[in-house]
Amino acid sequence: MIPSIAEQNIHQVLTQKMSIQSFEQWLYEDDVLEFSNPDLYLELISFDYSSEDNFYYRFYDSFAQYVHFYKFEADRIKGYLNSIIDRDDKCCDVIYMMYHLYYDGYNFLNRLGMVYGVRLTDIDTSVSNSSMDSILNEFYPEIIEDAKNVLHWLEEGKIVFKSQDNSDGVFEYEDFRSEAEILQGHA
């Protein structure tokens, strides 16, 4: 067992959301891991951080076993939902991803995947920005409410990820939504 801050920081490095320099700095400044799991601490401080050759592969191979990825899945989905809500520069890719996540088993993304995401599956990636903006304009503002519904379910603990389900990175989850909320989330 490792402290949650250590698991979170290892996860952040594995998903490239934390620089290796920041991780190393945390490792040497925070003694929580040194006292709670000295073997892992020794393994982490002995790791060669200076070698860029296959760094993330080596780090993943060495330390992914300490991370329960399902614990971070809700945050990943929330990030996608906020991208849709904010209509940032990644929202088109995220909307497209909603279809794939729904198709892979996240049934709570039904509406986002089947009303919006599926419409992007046949679009050529060479479509001009103005054409893509036109397509996105058809989705907004309605998609914002649909994304906020899913965000609410995640924040209220109505969708709770529990363990890895398959090799595609889709996790099993508990669905505590009411029948009305389930119907609201369907296309």
Side-chain angles (χ1 to χ4, degrees):
M1 184 83 176
I2 67 171
S4 61
I5 186 68
E7 183 177 17
Q8 180 179 8
N9 286 343
I10 292 170
H11 178 265
Q12 292 289 307
V13 172
L14 293 173
T15 56
Q16 299 183 20
K17 293 179 181 170
M18 176 186 270
S19 72
I20 197 58
Q21 295 82 11
S22 296
F23 180 79
E24 266 191 296
Q25 183 177 351
W26 166 79
L27 187 61
Y28 291 112
E29 290 176 358
D30 192 331
D31 61 2
V32 67
L33 189 59
E34 182 178 7
F35 294 110
S36 62
N37 193 327
D39 293 337
L40 176 58
Y41 177 75
L42 183 60
E43 193 176 342
L44 282 164
I45 63 169
S46 301
F47 189 79
D48 182 8
Y49 295 96
S50 63
S51 172
E52 292 191 21
D53 189 38
N54 294 322
F55 171 79
Y56 285 101
Y57 173 77
R58 290 183 303 106
F59 193 87
Y60 188 93
D61 197 39
S62 297
F63 303 111
Q65 64 186 329
Y66 297 104
V67 177
H68 297 94
F69 286 88
Y70 72 90
K71 292 180 181 178
F72 304 99
E73 188 67 351
D75 290 335
R76 181 176 81 113
I77 302 294
K78 288 177 191 176
Y80 295 153
L81 297 169
N82 285 318
S83 173
I84 293 170
I85 292 165
D86 297 340
R87 195 174 176 173
D88 67 16
D89 59 339
K90 296 177 185 172
C91 75
C92 187
D93 293 333
V94 169
I95 294 168
Y96 175 73
M97 189 181 304
M98 292 295 109
Y99 168 74
H100 289 285
L101 290 171
Y102 165 73
Y103 183 79
D104 287 342
Y106 286 169
N107 294 331
F108 62 93
L109 295 174
N110 178 284
R111 188 158 176 78
L112 290 171
M114 296 308 293
V115 171
Y116 309 103
V118 73
R119 291 171 59 191
L120 298 179
T121 59
D122 294 330
I123 295 178
D124 187 354
T125 56
S126 63
V127 168
S128 71
N129 285 344
S130 63
S131 295
M132 189 54 72
D133 282 341
S134 174
I135 293 166
L136 289 175
N137 285 338
E138 294 175 22
F139 297 166
Y140 285 86
E142 293 83 12
I143 194 172
I144 293 173
E145 277 308 308
D146 292 326
K148 283 181 177 180
N149 283 336
V150 176
L151 188 61
H152 173 75
W153 298 332
L154 291 169
E155 289 173 344
E156 295 296 314
K158 294 184 178 194
I159 302 293
V160 178
F161 296 97
K162 54 184 195 171
S163 64
Q164 188 155 351
D165 182 46
N166 63 31
S167 61
D168 294 329
V170 173
F171 299 91
E172 290 180 13
Y173 63 91
E174 293 284 338
D175 190 339
F176 299 106
R177 295 177 294 163
S178 67
E179 281 189 44
E181 289 170 319
I182 291 170
L183 289 174
Q184 177 185 29
H186 278 274

